[in-house]
Amino acid sequence: MAFSAEVIQKVWEKGTIVRGYDATKYRKDQCGAWMRRTEYGDRNSVYGWEIDHITSVAHGGSDAVSNLRPLNWQNNVAKSDGRLKCKITSSGERNVYV
């Protein structure tokens, strides 16, 4: 699914702000994993992230921003049965496997 730059930015803004870090560059996902704004869609980066449907389209969810959230790409891939499964979280400034 291709999202507009506006939707990507709105979803980014839903990420968790970490005090002491530039929120325009770094945020955390719901698993506590670091994401870097410039690495949207980058599965070669430990800080890459993707847009996740909270409720999948197959289960009646929509592409509305209210149904979207930013997830580190590895957490998005690990999501199964429509449930979030945290594969990556953080320890200090690094992402680590759970």
Side-chain angles (χ1 to χ4, degrees):
M1 164 113 256
F3 293 100
S4 70
E6 179 182 359
V7 168
I8 293 168
Q9 182 60 34
K10 285 181 180 181
V11 172
W12 170 255
E13 291 170 2
K14 293 174 79 174
T16 302
I17 295 172
V18 181
R19 191 168 42 147
Y21 292 86
D22 184 342
T24 65
K25 296 179 182 177
Y26 298 97
R27 295 197 183 209
K28 288 187 177 182
D29 71 6
Q30 286 189 319
C31 294
W34 286 103
M35 303 176 294
R36 185 177 293 144
R37 174 62 179 93
T38 58
E39 295 180 24
Y40 170 71
D42 185 352
R43 288 191 171 187
N44 292 314
S45 170
V46 68
Y47 303 111
W49 64 284
E50 299 174 343
I51 293 176
D52 173 56
H53 287 84
I54 297 166
T55 301
S56 70
V57 174
H59 288 103
S62 72
D63 288 337
V65 172
S66 61
N67 186 48
L68 304 174
R69 65 180 164 199
L71 282 182
N72 178 286
W73 74 267
Q74 293 182 71
N75 289 328
N76 195 30
V77 169
K79 184 180 171 186
S80 64
D81 298 335
R83 295 177 186 240
L84 180 59
K85 293 184 181 177
C86 298
K87 182 176 182 181
I88 300 290
T89 190
S90 62
S91 177
E93 294 183 346
R94 295 182 33 200
N95 281 344
V96 295
Y97 289 97
V98 176

Coordinates of all heavy atoms in Angstrom, one line a residue:
M1 N 0.8 -1.2 0.0 CA 0.0 0.0 0.0 C 0.9 1.2 0.0 O 1.8 1.3 0.8 CB -0.9 0.0 1.2 CG -1.5 1.3 1.6 SD -3.3 1.3 1.4 CE -3.6 2.1 -0.1
A2 N 0.6 2.1 -0.9 CA 1.3 3.4 -0.9 C 0.6 4.5 -0.2 O -0.6 4.7 -0.5 CB 1.6 3.8 -2.4
F3 N 1.2 5.1 0.7 CA 0.6 6.2 1.5 C 1.2 7.5 1.1 O 2.3 7.6 0.7 CB 0.8 6.0 3.0 CG 0.1 4.8 3.6 CD1 0.8 3.6 3.8 CD2 -1.2 4.8 3.9 CE1 0.2 2.5 4.4 CE2 -1.9 3.7 4.4 CZ -1.2 2.5 4.7
S4 N 0.4 8.5 1.2 CA 0.8 9.9 0.8 C 1.8 10.4 1.9 O 1.9 9.9 3.0 CB -0.3 10.9 0.7 OG -0.9 11.1 2.0
A5 N 2.6 11.3 1.5 CA 3.6 11.9 2.4 C 2.9 12.5 3.6 O 3.4 12.4 4.7 CB 4.4 13.0 1.7
E6 N 1.7 13.1 3.4 CA 0.9 13.6 4.5 C 0.5 12.5 5.5 O 0.6 12.7 6.7 CB -0.3 14.3 4.0 CG -1.2 14.9 5.1 CD -2.5 15.6 4.5 OE1 -2.7 15.6 3.3 OE2 -3.2 16.1 5.3
V7 N 0.0 11.4 5.0 CA -0.4 10.3 5.9 C 0.8 9.7 6.6 O 0.8 9.5 7.8 CB -1.1 9.2 5.1 CG1 -1.3 7.9 6.0 CG2 -2.5 9.7 4.6
I8 N 1.9 9.6 5.9 CA 3.2 9.1 6.5 C 3.6 10.0 7.7 O 3.9 9.5 8.8 CB 4.3 8.9 5.5 CG1 4.0 7.8 4.5 CG2 5.6 8.6 6.2 CD1 4.9 7.8 3.3
Q9 N 3.5 11.3 7.5 CA 3.9 12.2 8.6 C 2.9 12.1 9.7 O 3.3 12.1 10.9 CB 4.0 13.6 8.0 CG 4.4 14.7 9.1 CD 5.8 14.4 9.7 OE1 6.7 13.9 9.0 NE2 5.9 14.7 10.9
K10 N 1.6 12.0 9.5 CA 0.6 11.9 10.5 C 0.8 10.7 11.3 O 0.7 10.6 12.6 CB -0.8 12.0 10.0 CG -1.2 13.4 9.6 CD -2.6 13.4 9.0 CE -3.0 14.9 8.6 NZ -4.3 14.9 8.1
V11 N 1.1 9.6 10.7 CA 1.4 8.3 11.4 C 2.7 8.4 12.2 O 2.7 7.9 13.3 CB 1.4 7.1 10.4 CG1 1.8 5.8 11.1 CG2 0.0 6.9 9.8
W12 N 3.7 9.0 11.6 CA 5.0 9.2 12.4 C 4.7 9.9 13.7 O 5.2 9.6 14.7 CB 6.0 10.0 11.5 CG 7.2 10.4 12.3 CD1 7.4 11.7 12.7 CD2 8.3 9.6 12.7 NE1 8.6 11.7 13.4 CE2 9.1 10.4 13.4 CE3 8.6 8.3 12.6 CZ2 10.3 10.0 14.0 CZ3 9.7 7.8 13.2 CH2 10.6 8.6 13.8
E13 N 3.9 10.9 13.6 CA 3.6 11.7 14.8 C 2.8 10.9 15.9 O 2.8 11.4 17.0 CB 2.8 13.0 14.4 CG 3.6 13.9 13.6 CD 2.9 15.1 12.9 OE1 1.6 15.2 13.1 OE2 3.5 15.9 12.2
K14 N 2.3 9.8 15.6 CA 1.7 8.9 16.6 C 2.7 8.1 17.3 O 2.4 7.4 18.3 CB 0.7 8.0 15.9 CG -0.5 8.8 15.3 CD -1.4 7.9 14.5 CE -2.3 7.1 15.4 NZ -3.4 6.3 14.7
G15 N 4.0 8.1 16.9 CA 5.0 7.4 17.6 C 5.3 8.0 18.9 O 5.0 9.2 19.1
T16 N 5.9 7.3 19.8 CA 6.2 7.8 21.2 C 7.4 8.7 21.2 O 8.5 8.3 20.7 CB 6.5 6.6 22.1 OG1 5.3 5.8 22.1 CG2 6.8 7.1 23.5
I17 N 7.2 9.9 21.7 CA 8.3 10.9 21.8 C 9.2 10.5 23.0 O 8.6 10.1 24.0 CB 7.7 12.3 22.0 CG1 7.0 12.7 20.7 CG2 8.8 13.3 22.3 CD1 6.2 14.0 20.8
V18 N 10.5 10.6 22.8 CA 11.4 10.2 23.9 C 12.1 11.5 24.3 O 12.7 12.2 23.5 CB 12.4 9.2 23.5 CG1 13.4 8.8 24.6 CG2 11.7 7.9 23.0
R19 N 11.9 11.9 25.6 CA 12.5 13.1 26.1 C 14.0 13.1 25.9 O 14.7 12.1 26.1 CB 12.2 13.3 27.5 CG 12.6 14.7 28.0 CD 12.0 15.0 29.4 NE 12.1 13.8 30.3 CZ 12.3 13.9 31.6 NH1 12.4 15.1 32.2 NH2 12.5 12.8 32.3
G20 N 14.6 14.2 25.4 CA 16.0 14.3 25.1 C 16.4 14.0 23.7 O 17.6 14.1 23.3
Y21 N 15.4 13.5 22.9 CA 15.7 13.2 21.5 C 14.8 14.0 20.6 O 13.7 14.3 20.9 CB 15.4 11.7 21.2 CG 16.4 10.8 21.9 CD1 16.2 10.4 23.2 CD2 17.6 10.4 21.3 CE1 17.1 9.6 23.9 CE2 18.5 9.6 21.9 CZ 18.2 9.2 23.3 OH 19.2 8.4 23.9
D22 N 15.3 14.4 19.4 CA 14.6 15.2 18.5 C 13.5 14.4 17.9 O 13.7 13.4 17.2 CB 15.6 15.6 17.4 CG 14.9 16.5 16.3 OD1 13.7 16.6 16.3 OD2 15.7 17.2 15.6
A23 N 12.2 14.8 18.3 CA 11.0 14.0 17.8 C 10.8 14.1 16.3 O 10.0 13.3 15.8 CB 9.8 14.5 18.6
T24 N 11.4 15.0 15.7 CA 11.3 15.0 14.2 C 12.2 14.0 13.5 O 12.0 13.6 12.4 CB 11.7 16.4 13.6 OG1 13.1 16.7 13.8 CG2 10.8 17.5 14.2
K25 N 13.2 13.4 14.3 CA 14.1 12.4 13.8 C 13.9 11.0 14.4 O 14.1 10.0 13.7 CB 15.5 12.9 14.0 CG 15.9 14.2 13.3 CD 17.3 14.6 13.5 CE 17.6 15.9 12.8 NZ 18.9 16.3 13.1
Y26 N 13.6 11.0 15.7 CA 13.5 9.7 16.4 C 12.3 9.6 17.2 O 11.9 10.5 17.9 CB 14.8 9.5 17.3 CG 16.1 9.5 16.6 CD1 16.8 10.7 16.5 CD2 16.5 8.4 16.0 CE1 18.0 10.7 15.9 CE2 17.8 8.4 15.4 CZ 18.5 9.5 15.3 OH 19.7 9.5 14.6
R27 N 11.7 8.4 17.2 CA 10.6 8.0 18.0 C 10.6 6.5 18.3 O 11.4 5.8 17.7 CB 9.2 8.4 17.4 CG 9.1 9.9 17.2 CD 7.7 10.3 17.0 NE 7.7 11.8 16.7 CZ 6.7 12.5 17.0 NH1 5.6 12.0 17.5 NH2 6.7 13.8 16.8
K28 N 9.7 6.1 19.2 CA 9.6 4.7 19.5 C 8.3 4.2 19.1 O 7.3 4.9 19.1 CB 9.9 4.4 21.0 CG 11.3 4.5 21.4 CD 11.6 4.1 22.8 CE 13.0 4.2 23.2 NZ 13.2 3.7 24.6
D29 N 8.2 2.9 18.8 CA 6.9 2.3 18.5 C 6.3 1.7 19.7 O 6.8 1.9 20.8 CB 7.0 1.2 17.3 CG 7.7 -0.1 17.8 OD1 8.1 -0.3 19.0 OD2 8.0 -0.9 16.9
Q30 N 5.1 1.0 19.6 CA 4.4 0.5 20.8 C 5.2 -0.6 21.5 O 4.9 -0.9 22.6 CB 3.0 0.0 20.4 CG 2.1 1.2 20.1 CD 0.7 0.7 19.9 OE1 0.4 -0.3 19.3 NE2 -0.2 1.5 20.5
C31 N 6.2 -1.2 20.9 CA 7.0 -2.2 21.5 C 8.2 -1.6 22.2 O 9.0 -2.3 22.8 CB 7.5 -3.2 20.5 SG 6.1 -4.2 19.8
G32 N 8.4 -0.3 22.0 CA 9.6 0.4 22.6 C 10.8 0.4 21.7 O 11.9 0.8 22.1
A33 N 10.6 0.0 20.4 CA 11.7 -0.1 19.5 C 11.9 1.3 18.8 O 11.0 2.0 18.5 CB 11.4 -1.1 18.4
W34 N 13.2 1.7 18.7 CA 13.5 2.9 18.0 C 13.2 2.9 16.5 O 13.3 1.9 15.9 CB 15.0 3.2 18.1 CG 15.5 3.6 19.5 CD1 16.1 2.8 20.4 CD2 15.3 4.9 20.1 NE1 16.4 3.6 21.5 CE2 15.9 4.8 21.4 CE3 14.7 6.1 19.7 CZ2 15.9 5.9 22.2 CZ3 14.8 7.2 20.5 CH2 15.3 7.1 21.8
M35 N 12.7 4.1 16.1 CA 12.5 4.3 14.6 C 13.1 5.6 14.3 O 13.1 6.5 15.1 CB 11.0 4.4 14.4 CG 10.2 3.2 14.8 SD 8.4 3.4 14.5 CE 8.0 4.8 15.7
R36 N 13.7 5.7 13.1 CA 14.3 6.9 12.6 C 13.4 7.4 11.4 O 13.1 6.7 10.5 CB 15.7 6.7 12.1 CG 16.4 8.0 11.7 CD 17.8 7.7 11.2 NE 18.6 7.3 12.4 CZ 19.6 6.4 12.3 NH1 19.9 5.8 11.2 NH2 20.3 6.1 13.4
R37 N 12.9 8.6 11.5 CA 12.0 9.2 10.5 C 12.4 9.0 9.1 O 11.6 8.6 8.2 CB 11.7 10.7 10.8 CG 10.8 11.4 9.8 CD 9.5 10.8 9.8 NE 8.6 11.5 8.8 CZ 8.4 11.1 7.6 NH1 9.1 10.0 7.1 NH2 7.6 11.7 6.8
T38 N 13.7 9.2 8.8 CA 14.1 9.1 7.4 C 14.2 7.7 6.9 O 14.5 7.5 5.7 CB 15.5 9.8 7.3 OG1 16.4 9.1 8.1 CG2 15.5 11.3 7.5
E39 N 14.0 6.7 7.8 CA 14.1 5.3 7.3 C 12.8 4.6 7.2 O 12.7 3.4 7.3 CB 15.1 4.6 8.3 CG 16.5 5.2 8.1 CD 17.5 4.6 9.0 OE1 17.4 3.5 9.5 OE2 18.5 5.4 9.2
Y40 N 11.8 5.4 6.8 CA 10.5 4.8 6.5 C 10.6 3.8 5.4 O 11.2 4.2 4.3 CB 9.4 5.9 6.2 CG 8.1 5.4 5.6 CD1 7.3 4.7 6.5 CD2 7.8 5.5 4.3 CE1 6.1 4.2 6.0 CE2 6.6 4.9 3.8 CZ 5.8 4.3 4.6 OH 4.6 3.8 4.1
G41 N 10.1 2.6 5.5 CA 10.1 1.6 4.5 C 11.4 0.9 4.3 O 11.6 0.1 3.4
D42 N 12.4 1.2 5.1 CA 13.8 0.7 4.9 C 14.0 -0.6 5.7 O 14.3 -0.5 6.9 CB 14.8 1.7 5.3 CG 16.3 1.2 5.0 OD1 16.5 0.0 4.6 OD2 17.2 2.1 5.1
R43 N 13.8 -1.8 5.1 CA 14.0 -3.0 5.8 C 15.5 -3.4 6.0 O 15.8 -4.5 6.6 CB 13.2 -4.1 5.2 CG 11.7 -4.0 5.4 CD 11.0 -5.2 4.9 NE 9.6 -5.1 5.3 CZ 8.7 -6.1 5.2 NH1 9.1 -7.2 4.6 NH2 7.4 -5.9 5.6
N44 N 16.4 -2.6 5.5 CA 17.8 -2.9 5.7 C 18.3 -2.2 6.9 O 19.5 -2.3 7.2 CB 18.6 -2.5 4.4 CG 18.3 -3.3 3.2 OD1 18.2 -4.6 3.4 ND2 18.0 -2.7 2.1
S45 N 17.5 -1.4 7.5 CA 17.9 -0.6 8.7 C 17.3 -1.1 10.0 O 16.1 -1.4 10.0 CB 17.5 0.9 8.5 OG 17.7 1.6 9.7
V46 N 18.1 -1.2 11.0 CA 17.5 -1.6 12.3 C 16.5 -0.6 12.8 O 15.7 -0.9 13.7 CB 18.7 -1.9 13.3 CG1 19.4 -0.6 13.7 CG2 18.2 -2.6 14.6
Y47 N 16.6 0.7 12.3 CA 15.6 1.7 12.7 C 14.6 2.0 11.7 O 13.8 2.9 11.8 CB 16.4 3.0 13.0 CG 17.5 2.8 14.0 CD1 18.8 2.9 13.7 CD2 17.1 2.6 15.4 CE1 19.8 2.7 14.7 CE2 18.1 2.4 16.3 CZ 19.4 2.5 16.0 OH 20.4 2.3 16.9
G48 N 14.5 1.1 10.7 CA 13.4 1.2 9.7 C 12.1 1.0 10.3 O 11.9 0.3 11.2
W49 N 11.1 1.6 9.7 CA 9.7 1.5 10.2 C 8.7 1.5 9.0 O 9.0 1.8 7.9 CB 9.4 2.6 11.2 CG 9.4 4.0 10.6 CD1 10.5 4.7 10.2 CD2 8.3 4.8 10.2 NE1 10.1 5.9 9.7 CE2 8.7 6.0 9.7 CE3 6.9 4.6 10.3 CZ2 7.9 7.0 9.3 CZ3 6.0 5.6 9.9 CH2 6.6 6.8 9.4
E50 N 7.5 1.0 9.4 CA 6.4 0.9 8.4 C 5.1 1.3 9.1 O 5.0 1.4 10.3 CB 6.3 -0.6 7.9 CG 7.5 -1.1 7.3 CD 7.5 -2.6 6.9 OE1 6.7 -3.3 7.5 OE2 8.3 -3.0 6.1
I51 N 4.1 1.5 8.2 CA 2.8 1.8 8.7 C 2.0 0.5 8.9 O 1.9 -0.3 7.9 CB 2.1 2.8 7.7 CG1 2.8 4.1 7.8 CG2 0.6 2.9 8.1 CD1 2.2 5.2 6.8
D52 N 1.5 0.3 10.0 CA 0.7 -0.9 10.4 C -0.8 -0.5 10.5 O -1.1 0.5 11.1 CB 1.2 -1.5 11.7 CG 0.4 -2.6 12.2 OD1 0.2 -3.6 11.4 OD2 -0.1 -2.5 13.3
H53 N -1.6 -1.4 10.0 CA -3.1 -1.3 10.3 C -3.3 -1.9 11.6 O -3.1 -3.1 11.8 CB -3.9 -2.0 9.2 CG -3.9 -1.3 7.9 ND1 -2.8 -1.5 7.0 CD2 -4.7 -0.5 7.3 CE1 -3.1 -0.7 5.9 NE2 -4.3 -0.1 6.1
I54 N -3.9 -1.2 12.6 CA -4.2 -1.7 13.9 C -5.2 -2.8 13.7 O -5.0 -3.9 14.3 CB -4.7 -0.6 14.8 CG1 -3.6 0.5 15.0 CG2 -5.1 -1.2 16.2 CD1 -4.0 1.8 15.6
T55 N -6.3 -2.6 13.0 CA -7.2 -3.6 12.6 C -7.0 -3.8 11.1 O -7.2 -2.8 10.4 CB -8.7 -3.2 12.9 OG1 -8.8 -2.9 14.3 CG2 -9.7 -4.2 12.5
S56 N -6.7 -5.0 10.7 CA -6.4 -5.2 9.3 C -7.6 -4.9 8.4 O -8.7 -5.1 8.9 CB -5.9 -6.7 9.1 OG -7.0 -7.6 9.3
V57 N -7.3 -4.6 7.2 CA -8.3 -4.4 6.2 C -9.2 -5.7 6.1 O -10.4 -5.6 6.0 CB -7.7 -3.9 4.9 CG1 -8.8 -3.8 3.8 CG2 -7.0 -2.6 5.1
A58 N -8.5 -6.8 6.1 CA -9.2 -8.1 6.0 C -10.2 -8.3 7.2 O -11.2 -9.1 7.0 CB -8.2 -9.2 6.0
H59 N -10.0 -7.7 8.3 CA -10.9 -7.8 9.4 C -11.8 -6.5 9.6 O -12.3 -6.3 10.7 CB -10.1 -8.0 10.7 CG -9.5 -9.4 10.8 ND1 -8.2 -9.7 10.5 CD2 -10.1 -10.6 11.0 CE1 -8.0 -11.0 10.6 NE2 -9.1 -11.6 10.9
G60 N -11.9 -5.8 8.6 CA -12.8 -4.6 8.6 C -12.2 -3.3 8.9 O -12.9 -2.3 9.0
G61 N -10.9 -3.3 9.0 CA -10.2 -2.0 9.3 C -10.1 -1.2 8.0 O -10.3 -1.7 6.9
S62 N -9.7 0.1 8.2 CA -9.6 1.0 7.0 C -8.2 1.6 7.0 O -7.4 1.4 7.9 CB -10.6 2.1 7.2 OG -10.3 3.0 8.2
D63 N -8.0 2.5 6.0 CA -6.8 3.2 5.9 C -6.8 4.6 6.6 O -5.9 5.4 6.4 CB -6.4 3.4 4.4 CG -6.0 2.2 3.7 OD1 -5.5 1.2 4.3 OD2 -6.1 2.1 2.4
A64 N -7.8 4.8 7.4 CA -8.0 6.0 8.2 C -6.8 6.1 9.1 O -6.3 5.1 9.7 CB -9.3 6.1 8.9
V65 N -6.2 7.3 9.3 CA -5.1 7.5 10.2 C -5.4 7.0 11.6 O -4.5 6.5 12.2 CB -4.7 9.0 10.2 CG1 -3.6 9.3 11.3 CG2 -4.2 9.5 8.8
S66 N -6.6 7.0 12.0 CA -7.0 6.5 13.4 C -6.7 5.0 13.5 O -6.6 4.5 14.6 CB -8.4 6.9 13.7 OG -9.3 6.3 12.7
N67 N -6.7 4.3 12.3 CA -6.4 2.9 12.3 C -5.0 2.5 11.9 O -4.7 1.4 11.7 CB -7.4 2.2 11.4 CG -7.3 0.7 11.4 OD1 -7.3 0.1 12.5 ND2 -7.2 0.0 10.3
L68 N -4.1 3.5 11.9 CA -2.7 3.3 11.5 C -1.8 3.6 12.6 O -2.1 4.5 13.4 CB -2.4 4.1 10.3 CG -3.3 3.9 9.0 CD1 -2.9 4.9 7.9 CD2 -3.2 2.5 8.5
R69 N -0.7 2.9 12.7 CA 0.4 3.3 13.7 C 1.7 3.0 13.1 O 1.9 2.1 12.2 CB 0.2 2.5 14.9 CG 0.3 1.0 14.7 CD 0.1 0.2 16.0 NE -0.1 -1.2 15.7 CZ -0.6 -2.1 16.5 NH1 -1.0 -1.7 17.7 NH2 -0.8 -3.3 16.2
P70 N 2.8 3.7 13.6 CA 4.1 3.4 13.1 C 4.7 2.2 13.9 O 4.5 2.1 15.1 CB 4.9 4.6 13.5 CG 4.2 5.2 14.7 CD 2.7 4.8 14.5
L71 N 5.3 1.2 13.2 CA 6.0 0.1 13.9 C 7.3 -0.1 13.2 O 7.5 0.0 12.0 CB 5.2 -1.2 13.7 CG 4.0 -1.4 14.5 CD1 3.4 -2.8 14.2 CD2 4.3 -1.4 16.0
N72 N 8.3 -0.4 14.1 CA 9.6 -0.9 13.6 C 9.3 -2.0 12.6 O 8.4 -2.8 12.9 CB 10.5 -1.4 14.7 CG 11.8 -1.9 14.2 OD1 11.9 -3.0 13.7 ND2 12.8 -1.1 14.4
W73 N 9.9 -2.0 11.5 CA 9.5 -3.0 10.4 C 9.6 -4.4 10.9 O 8.8 -5.3 10.5 CB 10.4 -2.8 9.2 CG 11.8 -3.3 9.2 CD1 12.9 -2.6 9.6 CD2 12.3 -4.6 9.0 NE1 14.0 -3.4 9.6 CE2 13.7 -4.6 9.2 CE3 11.7 -5.8 8.6 CZ2 14.5 -5.7 9.0 CZ3 12.4 -6.9 8.4 CH2 13.8 -6.9 8.6
Q74 N 10.5 -4.8 11.8 CA 10.6 -6.1 12.3 C 9.4 -6.5 13.2 O 8.9 -7.6 13.1 CB 11.9 -6.4 13.1 CG 13.1 -6.3 12.1 CD 14.4 -6.6 12.8 OE1 14.6 -7.7 13.2 NE2 15.2 -5.5 13.0
N75 N 8.9 -5.5 13.9 CA 7.6 -5.8 14.7 C 6.4 -5.9 13.8 O 5.5 -6.7 14.0 CB 7.4 -4.7 15.7 CG 8.5 -4.8 16.8 OD1 8.9 -5.9 17.2 ND2 8.8 -3.6 17.4
N76 N 6.4 -5.1 12.7 CA 5.3 -5.2 11.7 C 5.3 -6.6 11.1 O 4.3 -7.2 10.9 CB 5.4 -4.1 10.7 CG 4.1 -3.9 9.9 OD1 3.0 -4.2 10.4 ND2 4.3 -3.5 8.7
V77 N 6.5 -7.1 10.7 CA 6.6 -8.4 10.1 C 6.2 -9.5 11.0 O 5.5 -10.5 10.7 CB 8.0 -8.7 9.5 CG1 8.2 -10.1 9.1 CG2 8.3 -7.7 8.3
A78 N 6.5 -9.4 12.3 CA 6.3 -10.4 13.3 C 4.8 -10.4 13.7 O 4.3 -11.4 14.3 CB 7.1 -10.1 14.6
K79 N 4.0 -9.4 13.4 CA 2.6 -9.4 13.7 C 1.9 -10.5 13.0 O 2.0 -10.6 11.8 CB 2.0 -8.0 13.3 CG 0.6 -7.8 13.7 CD 0.2 -6.4 13.3 CE -1.3 -6.3 13.4 NZ -1.8 -5.0 12.9
S80 N 1.2 -11.3 13.7 CA 0.4 -12.4 13.1 C -1.0 -12.4 13.7 O -1.2 -12.0 14.9 CB 1.2 -13.7 13.3 OG 1.2 -14.0 14.6
D81 N -1.9 -13.0 13.0 CA -3.3 -13.1 13.5 C -3.8 -11.8 13.9 O -4.7 -11.7 14.7 CB -3.4 -14.1 14.7 CG -3.0 -15.5 14.3 OD1 -3.1 -15.9 13.1 OD2 -2.6 -16.3 15.2
G82 N -3.3 -10.7 13.3 CA -3.8 -9.4 13.6 C -3.4 -8.9 15.0 O -3.8 -7.8 15.4
R83 N -2.5 -9.6 15.7 CA -2.1 -9.2 17.0 C -0.6 -8.8 17.0 O 0.2 -9.5 16.4 CB -2.3 -10.3 18.0 CG -3.7 -10.7 18.2 CD -3.9 -11.8 19.2 NE -5.3 -12.2 19.2 CZ -6.0 -12.2 20.3 NH1 -5.5 -11.8 21.4 NH2 -7.3 -12.5 20.3
L84 N -0.3 -7.7 17.7 CA 1.0 -7.2 17.8 C 1.9 -8.2 18.6 O 1.5 -8.5 19.7 CB 1.1 -5.8 18.4 CG 2.4 -5.2 18.6 CD1 3.1 -5.0 17.2 CD2 2.3 -3.8 19.2
K85 N 3.0 -8.6 18.1 CA 4.0 -9.4 18.8 C 5.3 -8.7 18.7 O 5.8 -8.5 17.6 CB 4.1 -10.8 18.1 CG 2.8 -11.6 18.3 CD 2.9 -13.0 17.8 CE 1.6 -13.8 18.0 NZ 1.7 -15.1 17.4
C86 N 5.8 -8.3 19.8 CA 7.0 -7.5 19.8 C 8.2 -8.4 19.6 O 8.5 -9.3 20.5 CB 7.1 -6.7 21.1 SG 5.8 -5.5 21.3
K87 N 8.9 -8.2 18.5 CA 10.2 -8.9 18.2 C 11.4 -8.1 18.6 O 12.4 -8.6 19.0 CB 10.2 -9.3 16.8 CG 11.4 -10.1 16.3 CD 11.4 -10.5 14.9 CE 12.6 -11.3 14.5 NZ 12.6 -11.7 13.1
I88 N 11.2 -6.8 18.5 CA 12.3 -5.8 18.8 C 11.8 -4.8 19.8 O 10.6 -4.3 19.8 CB 12.6 -5.0 17.5 CG1 13.1 -6.0 16.4 CG2 13.7 -4.0 17.8 CD1 14.5 -6.6 16.7
T89 N 12.6 -4.5 20.8 CA 12.4 -3.4 21.7 C 13.7 -2.6 21.8 O 14.6 -2.8 21.0 CB 11.9 -3.9 23.1 OG1 11.5 -2.8 23.9 CG2 12.9 -4.7 23.8
S90 N 13.9 -1.8 22.8 CA 15.2 -1.1 22.9 C 15.8 -1.3 24.3 O 15.1 -1.6 25.3 CB 14.9 0.4 22.7 OG 14.1 1.0 23.6
S91 N 17.1 -1.1 24.3 CA 17.9 -1.0 25.5 C 18.8 0.2 25.3 O 19.7 0.1 24.5 CB 18.7 -2.3 25.7 OG 19.5 -2.2 26.8
G92 N 18.5 1.2 26.1 CA 19.2 2.5 25.9 C 19.0 3.0 24.5 O 17.8 3.1 24.1
E93 N 20.0 3.2 23.7 CA 19.9 3.8 22.4 C 19.9 2.7 21.3 O 20.0 3.0 20.1 CB 21.0 4.8 22.1 CG 20.9 6.0 23.0 CD 21.9 7.1 22.7 OE1 22.9 6.8 22.0 OE2 21.7 8.2 23.2
R94 N 19.9 1.5 21.6 CA 19.9 0.4 20.7 C 18.7 -0.4 20.7 O 18.0 -0.6 21.7 CB 21.1 -0.6 21.0 CG 22.4 0.1 20.9 CD 23.5 -0.9 21.2 NE 23.2 -2.2 20.8 CZ 23.7 -3.3 21.2 NH1 24.7 -3.3 22.1 NH2 23.3 -4.5 20.7
N95 N 18.3 -0.9 19.5 CA 17.2 -1.9 19.4 C 17.8 -3.3 19.7 O 18.9 -3.6 19.2 CB 16.6 -1.9 18.0 CG 15.6 -0.7 17.9 OD1 15.2 -0.1 18.9 ND2 15.3 -0.4 16.7
V96 N 17.0 -4.1 20.4 CA 17.4 -5.4 20.8 C 16.3 -6.4 20.6 O 15.1 -6.0 20.6 CB 17.9 -5.5 22.2 CG1 19.2 -4.7 22.4 CG2 16.9 -5.1 23.2
Y97 N 16.6 -7.7 20.3 CA 15.6 -8.7 20.2 C 15.0 -9.0 21.5 O 15.7 -9.1 22.5 CB 16.1 -10.0 19.5 CG 16.5 -9.8 18.0 CD1 17.8 -9.5 17.6 CD2 15.5 -9.8 17.1 CE1 18.0 -9.3 16.3 CE2 15.7 -9.6 15.8 CZ 17.0 -9.3 15.4 OH 17.3 -9.1 14.0
V98 N 13.7 -9.3 21.5 CA 13.0 -9.6 22.8 C 13.3 -11.1 23.1 O 13.3 -11.9 22.3 CB 11.5 -9.4 22.6 CG1 10.7 -9.8 23.9 CG2 11.2 -7.9 22.3

